[in-house]
Amino acid sequence: MLASVWLLATPAFAQSDYFFPKAGEFDPSIPTPQQFLGYEIGSRYTRHDQLVAYFDELARHSDKIKVQRIGTSYEGRPLLIATITSAQNQQQLESLRRQHVTLADPAQPLSAAGSSPVVVWLGYSVHGNETSSGEAALLTAYYLVANRSPETAQWLQQAVVLVDPAQNPDGRDRAASWHNAYASFPASADPADKEHVEPFPQGRTNHYFTDLNRDWLALTQQDTRPKIAFFHQWYPNVQIDFHEMGKDSTYYFEPSPASMHSPLIPAASYEFNKTLAKYHAQSLDALGSLYYTGENFDNFSPVYGSTYPDFHGAVGVTVEQASSRGRVQESANGLLTFPFTIRNQVATGLGTVRGAVTERDGLLKLQKDFFQSALKQAGQQPVKSFVFGDTHDPGLTRRLLDLLLQHQIAVQPLTSAVTVDGQRFEPGSAYVVPTAQPQFRLVHSIFAETPPIKGDVFYGSTSYAIAPAYGVAFAGSRSRLAGGERITALPAVQGGVSGGEAGYAYVFDWRDYNASRALYALQAKGLAARAAFQPFTGSTGNGEQAFARGTVVIPVAGQPLSGAALRAAVDEAGRSSGVQIQALASGQSRSGIDLGSDSVKSLRKPAVALVMGEGVSATEIGSAWFLLDQQLQLPASKIDPAQLGKINLDRYTSIVLAGGTYTGVDATAVAALKRWINAGGSLVTYGTASKWAIEQKLADETLGQEEQAPDSARRAFGDQRDIAAIERVSGNILSAEVDTSHPLGFGLPRSQLAVNKENGISFKPSRNPFSTVVRIDDAPRVNGYLSENNRSRVAGTAWLLVSPQGQGNVVLFADDPAHRKYWHGTERLLLNAVFFGNLLNPTKPRG
């Protein structure tokens, strides 16, 4: 690694020799990255706009590359896909694509693919601060377009290479700004230098602090969805996701550990990892670069950019380069330079294309066999159909339908009422997903329990099923359920006022996931709103209708608008959110409480502060930010932990503390929080923030059993990593029970609730019998891996508590309720905390 330090101050002509040793001649009419950008690659961090401009420049100079803008990031930066292949292939690209995608159709023979090229996807910069990735994309694209060797010409004739140069442009530019701003000349190799130490939230995540490498299955982000749509246009045969790891490592590529292989995926897929690995090894051997394989990084769930392809018959590969996080940094292996890390990534990318072309026939057969075996595997499963849908929650039902359609999963409308596992599903509000379909393995991943794993070397979450996290009603049927024609597009959103102009009030059911958006839209217009804390049955224009706890009531009296203007405002909120709103002529109910009851309580307009800054978990607080921004369209204030003791907190109704370290929050800030809570504020905490709140006496609750210290029995030194992994708590779905009569439980359709367990924090049930809102079952069902020791430790513990304090309260979650932005079942609890925060304390007896 020391040998590459000279590159930081070397003329541009030497760079091609360094990055492309023995590459031969290049087309002089094609500008090199350094010629176009005006600096040597590796001497600074290339901004996203510069990256886009260079790819556009390549397309202007060559007929071998086509650049498409497939979407935009939240901050407005373009998302690109560059398609690189021979000029001849470019002229017939659509014909080649149609041939290629026959591989994903089990009914089509392998011969239908004809002589279509092998498809290679190279994905860069999904983590924006993994610095070598985007620079390698520039050089790799240049090589493929400009190199004149016969080998490269063969590659482009026999392959279509799809390059995603920056999957996370917002995070990439955040990192670029930091590294470039603190660059020294000459570069500092000191690991403590600011160039190498990014502040919160760092550049890893996107605008909403989402780890986009965990979003391939959930599709919560607009950065991800266009990429998935493009993926399904091509179904790549090989997909490489370029990453970085700690500076003291070397270089990793797959195969992954056998214990991390999914039993859903044919063994042949994982065996092909070994075949492709030979080409990666050859590329790095030629450079003399250190590397390793087969020791870590899981490969069993379709949530990652290197595993989603595995679930579509491709060979997906994670590669990880030790990161310089800047231009040069001291490491255990000597000075690690930015150019050195880039060169390894370029070599691996080109080695991937070489391997894919050489192994084309085997890769095409692998993909064909994969989709044909999916039907056979589905036929061996006891579940023949999944059914989902909540009558009272069209918003969340539609959201799950949308997810399935984006994944090209076959879905049918339910045509006749059915009861499965004690749950009733009705036509018009429920859908059928047959398991016997080419996407069986993805269907299983979304609805079924995670296949069992050993738990010895897992890397990320051990459970990833989407349907339990959504909280929508679903069940697996052992018989094939009747469904109509396959759905190809989302049905139109149904919302707005039903029943004309209300004489007394407008009401809408809180069980609809989108009711929260409608409520805030009305509050933002200055309209007064109330919530029914007891159920009632009202007489609507569509007949008698039962309304559950939490139902929102917009009285006609006392509003700033009246008559047709009020109806129009309410109707607009319903239409924009997709919520059905009923007009009532009378406040007298057919049964249950009347609308003038004390149990119909006035709601305050929420004003929320999200605490984010050093020490705070960016992904956790980012999920709350995303929820309030995108679901409620509520402009939350983002404040630094250091501001808590310095600003007026009285303007906020709720303050959210996500997991993190709050040791820097001083006694003055704690005292300010106590005063604010006692005056009526609602502090919402989760994970380690909840532990901190209890320790600071902000909440009068008790932590559960701490993680047990390892026993002192003699152990083999070589087993320490595996032993630690076995006892780690990492992303498990646990069964729990929620009090749906509590305001925090309003809108949840069932007392059974799936919760995510991501850490070792737990609570003892509250001494106040009314304050334990969610409790993990005494013998919890576990989806994922959880050691028996950890299972017994969390069994029967509280997952959500309310601790009343004066006029306010502290809402304590054991884990992030909005985890990874798709845990809609539990994020409803967070939404309830925001809207009902001043109504959570026990009711005082009447005087």
Side-chain angles (χ1 to χ4, degrees):
M1 295 185 186
L2 287 166
S4 59
V5 176
W6 64 271
L7 262 176
L8 296 176
T10 195
F13 69 84
Q15 284 215 312
S16 291
D17 292 337
Y18 180 72
F19 289 118
F20 312 123
K22 303 177 183 178
E25 184 183 355
F26 288 85
D27 184 345
S29 70
I30 307 296
T32 68
Q34 50 267 38
Q35 287 170 337
F36 178 77
L37 297 169
Y39 56 83
E40 292 84 4
I41 297 298
S43 66
R44 60 180 292 128
Y45 200 114
T46 303
R47 299 190 316 266
H48 182 260
D49 64 296
Q50 296 171 303
L51 185 152
V52 171
Y54 181 68
F55 270 83
D56 285 341
E57 185 74 1
L58 287 178
R60 278 193 289 271
H61 283 82
S62 174
D63 55 3
K64 299 175 185 175
I65 180 171
K66 173 185 175 184
V67 178
Q68 295 171 260
R69 284 158 172 75
I70 61 171
T72 58
S73 71
Y74 286 104
E75 294 176 15
R77 295 179 177 89
L79 302 169
L80 303 184
I81 294 289
T83 304
I84 304 175
T85 189
S86 69
Q88 178 184 357
N89 287 343
Q90 291 283 9
Q91 293 174 2
Q92 52 181 341
L93 199 60
E94 178 57 21
S95 174
L96 294 174
R97 188 194 68 81
R98 287 197 301 267
Q99 272 188 300
H100 179 78
V101 297
T102 62
L103 294 169
D105 183 356
Q108 297 263 29
L110 178 59
S111 59
S115 58
S116 61
V118 66
V119 179
V120 180
W121 182 302
L122 303 178
Y124 301 89
S125 289
V126 70
H127 294 147
N129 62 355
E130 295 183 356
T131 49
S132 61
S133 190
E135 315 294 328
L138 295 168
L139 289 162
T140 303
Y142 167 72
Y143 184 96
L144 292 173
V145 169
N147 185 256
R148 286 179 162 176
S149 72
E151 181 185 42
T152 304
Q154 179 197 11
W155 293 354
L156 298 191
Q157 190 59 38
Q158 298 182 16
V160 171
V161 182
L162 306 173
V163 178
D164 188 340
Q167 301 175 68
N168 178 11
D170 295 345
R172 179 175 176 81
D173 268 5
R174 196 183 308 135
S177 296
W178 181 264
H179 290 305
N180 290 336
Y182 286 98
S184 299
F185 304 95
S188 172
D190 180 2
D193 184 80
K194 287 182 78 72
E195 181 185 359
H196 309 302
V197 186
E198 293 175 90
F200 176 94
Q202 304 183 349
R204 177 182 177 89
T205 55
N206 79 339
H207 175 77
Y208 287 111
F209 310 156
T210 308
D211 187 333
L212 294 176
N213 194 39
R214 274 78 174 162
D215 197 45
W216 283 73
L217 186 63
L219 304 186
T220 68
Q221 301 296 285
Q222 75 178 43
D223 312 74
T224 307
R225 292 189 288 269
K227 178 173 61 179
I228 290 294
F230 201 90
F231 176 96
H232 285 284
Q233 290 179 31
W234 276 102
Y235 293 107
N237 300 107
V238 175
Q239 185 158 325
I240 310 296
D241 211 24
F242 291 85
H243 290 269
E244 287 187 340
M245 51 186 169
K247 65 182 178 65
D248 294 323
S249 295
T250 59
Y251 197 97
Y252 169 86
F253 54 87
E254 296 183 20
S256 54
S259 61
M260 289 295 95
H261 293 176
S262 170
L264 294 173
I265 302 298
S269 294
Y270 292 122
E271 284 300 310
F272 227 109
N273 275 128
K274 298 176 182 177
T275 300
L276 200 61
K278 294 186 299 183
Y279 298 92
H280 296 151
Q282 290 169 6
S283 298
L284 295 175
D285 284 343
L287 300 177
S289 296
L290 299 175
Y291 60 85
Y292 71 99
T293 68
E295 294 184 31
N296 51 8
F297 302 110
D298 66 51
N299 205 348
F300 71 97
S301 71
V303 302
Y304 304 108
S306 63
T307 53
Y308 190 82
D310 291 333
F311 282 72
H312 293 85
V315 178
V317 179
T318 291
V319 300
E320 300 264 356
Q321 164 66 51
S323 180
S324 63
R325 286 295 198 276
R327 291 172 302 149
V328 59
Q329 189 171 173
E330 297 166 4
S331 79
N333 299 305
L335 290 179
L336 179 60
T337 70
F338 196 14
F340 176 85
T341 67
I342 297 166
R343 183 173 68 159
N344 284 342
Q345 301 281 45
V346 171
T348 304
L350 296 177
T352 298
V353 179
R354 178 183 293 112
V357 169
T358 306
E359 305 294 338
R360 171 194 174 275
D361 292 346
L363 287 166
L364 268 56
K365 183 177 186 302
L366 178 75
Q367 194 162 53
K368 173 55 65 178
D369 290 346
F370 178 91
F371 283 105
Q372 289 180 336
S373 70
L375 298 181
K376 180 179 179 181
Q377 193 174 16
Q380 297 168 345
Q381 302 293 313
V383 173
K384 305 305 179 186
S385 303
F386 287 100
V387 57
F388 70 93
D390 271 318
T391 303
H392 298 290
D393 194 353
L396 200 54
T397 301
R398 188 175 191 275
R399 185 171 290 208
L400 183 53
L401 173 62
D402 182 32
L403 177 73
L404 298 174
L405 296 182
Q406 289 184 73
H407 285 302
Q408 302 300 308
I409 291 171
V411 187
Q412 304 164 323
L414 182 69
T415 55
S416 59
V418 63
T419 299
V420 182
D421 290 344
Q423 298 184 87
R424 184 74 171 175
F425 299 91
E426 300 284 348
S429 63
Y431 299 90
V432 175
V433 182
T435 57
Q437 61 171 293
Q439 287 287 55
F440 158 72
R441 295 177 176 106
L442 221 56
V443 170
H444 190 285
S445 300
I446 290 170
F447 287 100
E449 288 196 3
T450 301
I453 60 172
K454 293 173 62 176
D456 52 355
V457 290
F458 56 78
Y459 176 66
S461 297
T462 63
S463 59
Y464 51 85
I466 298 292
Y470 265 47
V472 71
F474 77 98
S477 171
R478 290 177 173 266
S479 60
R480 292 181 176 87
L481 299 178
E485 292 294 319
R486 178 174 177 172
I487 297 171
T488 57
L490 279 174
V493 174
Q494 300 294 324
V497 171
S498 177
E501 190 174 310
Y504 190 88
Y506 298 95
V507 298
F508 53 95
D509 201 316
W510 196 245
R511 287 174 292 185
D512 189 329
Y513 178 79
N514 290 331
S516 57
R517 174 179 287 193
L519 171 58
Y520 188 75
L522 293 168
Q523 290 179 319
K525 293 176 180 179
L527 298 180
R530 294 173 175 267
F533 273 45
Q534 296 293 334
F536 66 94
T537 299
S539 179
T540 76
N542 299 316
E544 291 188 4
Q545 182 172 330
F547 294 93
R549 289 183 173 91
T551 291
V552 176
V553 179
I554 308 296
V556 168
Q559 300 287 3
L561 301 175
S562 61
L566 176 61
R567 184 194 182 281
V570 175
D571 186 61
E572 180 186 352
R575 289 182 183 277
S576 63
S577 59
V579 171
Q580 291 281 357
I581 300 176
Q582 302 297 327
L584 300 185
S586 172
Q588 187 174 35
S589 299
R590 295 295 185 178
S591 63
I593 61 170
D594 294 324
L595 297 191
S597 165
D598 287 345
S599 291
V600 182
K601 300 181 183 295
S602 179
L603 298 177
R604 64 184 181 185
K605 180 185 175 183
V608 183
L610 304 174
V611 178
M612 56 177 69
E614 289 302 324
V616 178
S617 168
T619 54
E620 288 191 3
I621 199 63
S623 291
W625 180 20
F626 178 78
L627 176 66
L628 299 181
D629 237 34
Q630 296 293 309
Q631 175 62 18
L632 296 189
Q633 299 178 343
L634 184 158
S637 298
K638 299 171 285 296
I639 64 175
D640 194 270
Q643 294 177 272
L644 286 171
K646 301 175 181 178
I647 62 175
N648 180 13
L649 302 180
D650 293 340
R651 66 181 296 150
Y652 308 118
T653 60
S654 299
I655 297 175
V656 179
L657 298 181
T661 303
Y662 293 91
T663 52
V665 177
D666 61 21
T668 301
V670 172
L673 282 171
K674 285 183 178 179
R675 286 193 298 272
W676 172 79
I677 295 167
N678 278 280
S682 182
L683 180 66
V684 181
T685 65
Y686 21 104
T688 49
S690 295
K691 180 180 179 182
W692 177 82
I694 292 171
E695 292 171 344
Q696 297 298 316
K697 309 299 182 185
L698 294 172
D700 301 324
E701 299 299 339
T702 307
L703 292 166
Q705 179 185 346
E706 295 287 341
E707 294 184 59
Q708 295 180 358
D711 61 51
S712 58
R714 183 171 180 263
R715 302 286 182 91
F717 180 86
D719 293 341
Q720 55 187 318
R721 184 189 69 173
D722 291 350
I723 291 171
I726 287 171
E727 288 304 320
R728 188 162 64 105
V729 178
S730 180
N732 309 282
I733 300 177
L734 302 182
S735 61
E737 183 267 336
V738 58
D739 178 3
T740 57
S741 73
H742 193 284
L744 289 179
F746 284 176
L748 292 168
R750 291 164 293 279
S751 61
Q752 295 78 36
L753 180 68
V755 300
N756 182 59
K757 196 80 199 91
E758 193 77 16
N759 59 48
I761 304 295
S762 63
F763 314 121
K764 292 182 180 178
S766 178
R767 290 183 293 274
N768 183 326
F770 304 106
S771 291
T772 301
V773 183
V774 177
R775 180 179 179 274
I776 294 174
D777 291 343
D778 291 328
R781 298 186 305 278
V782 177
N783 188 339
Y785 174 82
L786 192 66
S787 70
E788 285 304 317
N789 175 47
N790 283 321
R791 186 194 296 240
S792 63
R793 192 170 58 80
V794 301
T797 62
W799 193 83
L800 171 58
L801 297 172
V802 179
S803 179
Q805 303 290 319
Q807 298 300 309
N809 51 67
V810 181
V811 177
L812 300 143
F813 289 94
D815 294 83
D816 175 7
H819 180 65
R820 298 207 190 284
K821 304 174 178 65
Y822 69 88
W823 271 84
H824 304 310
T826 50
E827 75 183 12
R828 299 177 81 136
L829 303 165
L830 178 58
L831 291 171
N832 287 344
V834 167
F835 283 108
F836 307 134
N838 62 322
L839 302 171
L840 303 179
N841 294 2
T843 303
K844 295 178 181 178
R846 295 184 181 184

